[in-house]
Amino acid sequence: MNLRQFDQNLWLVLDALYQTQSVSGAAKRLNLSQSAISHALKRLRTAFNDPLFVREDGKMLPTQKAQNIQSLTQQGLEFLNQVANGLDSFCKSTSNRQFVVAATDFTTKLFIYPLLNMLSTLDCNIRIKVIDLSSEIPIKALSSNHIDLVLTFSHGHAFESNLSQKKLISGQYRVIARKQHPIVSNELSLEAFLSAKHVLVSPWGASSGSLDNELEKLGKQRHIAATVPQLMNVVELVSNSDLIATVPAVSIKQHEVESVQILEPPLPLPDYNLFMVWHPSYNLDQGLIWLRSELETIATQILEGFS
């Protein structure tokens, strides 16, 4: 294949076919007609001397040769995206850009509320759209630029993926229980901890958490009486019941907590880590560079206020 004679736009068509496995899907993805995609596919087949995609069970499945060049295609497009995005200037005072951030209720209150407060004091038209983080890392939505940035957590040091990431905050857990709790008092023993009924905060519906992994190492198990998707309502739930919860220490600072007692867990727990995650195709996107910088500043302020 002679690259000098190869239409570079065909790489976009090739990638769209990989992603959608459909001529009509690729057409919709690229906002082109089906006939234009069919014509482009014909040119690709000629250039690579291979069918590239064959119809099977209603899908356009890649041939072995197409599979072999898929990673190279994606790497090339990521590089081109970085160059293109890096050439775009960004000025917060004149930009009309909307940033889409996927976050939990906790990370929204922790990072997005201060960001919106800051933006409200500026003479600018930047918009922030927050959507629920429906899975730990929505890779496809990030790669297709439907989401600009994800705010999420991990108990490890990084995510096992090809995504770019930056740790914003690391911290410890605390146990909360209502005052005058019949089992839990000032110093929390492991026995009392295991005797109590627990609330598990699980944004994605998991039936256990890192705490349960640590208990399992000790041959112990707690009684999870309730599983809820949102962290920010747990203080109210705990303060009006005999349930207890183990939550990030920094989250308690966001509430009036006169009605609850705050205790150290009776066993060592791994620190939680809050990350911002984005697709490497947009490493040089000047708008996202600005947004990430603002969130890093907010993280520093949070840590200073909590220390």
Side-chain angles (χ1 to χ4, degrees):
M1 182 178 66
N2 188 339
L3 283 176
R4 292 183 180 180
Q5 298 176 356
F6 187 80
D7 183 350
Q8 302 304 310
N9 288 319
L10 293 177
W11 293 115
L12 296 172
V13 175
L14 188 56
D15 182 63
L17 288 167
Y18 284 131
Q19 300 300 325
T20 64
Q21 296 186 345
S22 164
V23 170
S24 60
K28 184 176 180 180
R29 188 183 184 94
L30 297 177
N31 197 27
L32 295 172
S33 66
Q34 290 191 42
S35 61
I37 297 297
S38 296
H39 180 66
L41 178 55
K42 183 178 180 180
R43 295 171 63 192
L44 284 164
R45 285 167 167 166
T46 300
F48 285 99
N49 192 29
D50 188 84
L52 295 179
F53 294 88
V54 293
R55 187 171 297 280
E56 183 176 325
D57 295 330
K59 294 181 178 181
M60 296 292 287
L61 300 181
T63 63
Q64 185 61 54
K65 189 169 188 177
Q67 293 177 37
N68 292 341
I69 63 175
Q70 182 175 9
S71 61
L72 296 175
T73 301
Q74 292 175 336
Q75 290 174 21
L77 286 174
E78 285 182 10
F79 176 75
L80 291 173
N81 272 328
Q82 288 197 44
V83 172
N85 292 328
L87 293 175
D88 293 334
S89 61
F90 176 82
C91 177
K92 65 182 179 183
S93 60
T94 59
S95 177
N96 292 313
R97 183 166 175 178
Q98 173 177 271
F99 294 98
V100 180
V101 180
T104 65
D105 64 320
F106 173 41
T107 51
T108 295
K109 188 162 188 178
L110 205 58
F111 294 104
I112 302 301
Y113 283 12
L115 175 67
L116 294 175
N117 182 50
M118 181 274 291
L119 289 174
S120 70
T121 65
L122 302 178
D123 183 19
C124 70
N125 294 316
I126 294 173
R127 293 163 292 142
I128 305 295
K129 180 179 180 180
V130 182
I131 62 175
D132 285 334
L133 185 57
S134 57
S135 63
E136 186 173 358
I137 297 291
I139 296 177
K140 185 175 290 187
L142 280 170
S143 63
S144 62
N145 204 29
H146 286 93
I147 296 175
D148 292 299
L149 198 68
V150 168
L151 295 174
T152 189
F153 67 90
S154 170
H155 292 101
H157 296 292
F159 294 96
E160 294 181 4
S161 72
N162 294 324
L163 298 175
S164 298
Q165 54 204 281
K166 173 72 174 182
K167 183 164 69 175
L168 292 171
I169 286 180
S170 220
Q172 298 178 334
Y173 285 95
R174 291 292 181 266
V175 178
I176 55 173
R178 73 173 177 87
K179 293 182 177 178
Q180 288 81 49
H181 192 284
I183 297 176
V184 177
S185 58
N186 294 333
E187 290 191 9
L188 182 59
S189 68
L190 182 58
E191 181 181 4
F193 183 74
L194 295 176
S195 298
K197 295 181 178 180
H198 293 250
V199 180
L200 169 66
V201 180
S202 178
W204 308 300
S207 58
S208 62
S210 62
L211 167 56
D212 301 288
N213 296 334
E214 298 306 311
L215 286 172
E216 187 177 354
K217 294 176 184 177
L218 301 175
K220 306 291 185 181
Q221 186 176 6
R222 62 173 171 163
H223 174 52
I224 299 174
T227 303
V228 298
Q230 296 183 324
L231 173 61
M232 304 316 292
N233 297 325
V234 169
V235 169
E236 181 181 359
L237 173 60
V238 166
S239 64
N240 290 288
S241 71
D242 287 341
L243 296 168
I244 71 172
T246 305
V247 298
V250 71
S251 71
I252 310 169
K253 194 173 178 64
Q254 307 301 309
H255 297 81
E256 295 293 335
V257 291
E258 296 178 355
S259 57
V260 299
Q261 48 185 321
I262 304 171
L263 308 160
E264 289 195 19
L267 72 162
L269 296 176
D271 286 353
Y272 64 85
N273 300 302
L274 298 180
F275 285 87
M276 57 180 172
V277 182
W278 65 98
H279 198 272
S281 296
Y282 306 99
N283 280 341
L284 300 181
D285 183 316
Q286 297 301 306
L288 279 179
I289 289 174
W290 167 83
L291 178 60
R292 297 197 300 267
S293 176
E294 293 297 332
L295 292 173
E296 288 188 68
T297 299
I298 291 169
T300 300
Q301 294 168 348
I302 292 170
L303 291 174
E304 289 176 348
F306 192 70
S307 60

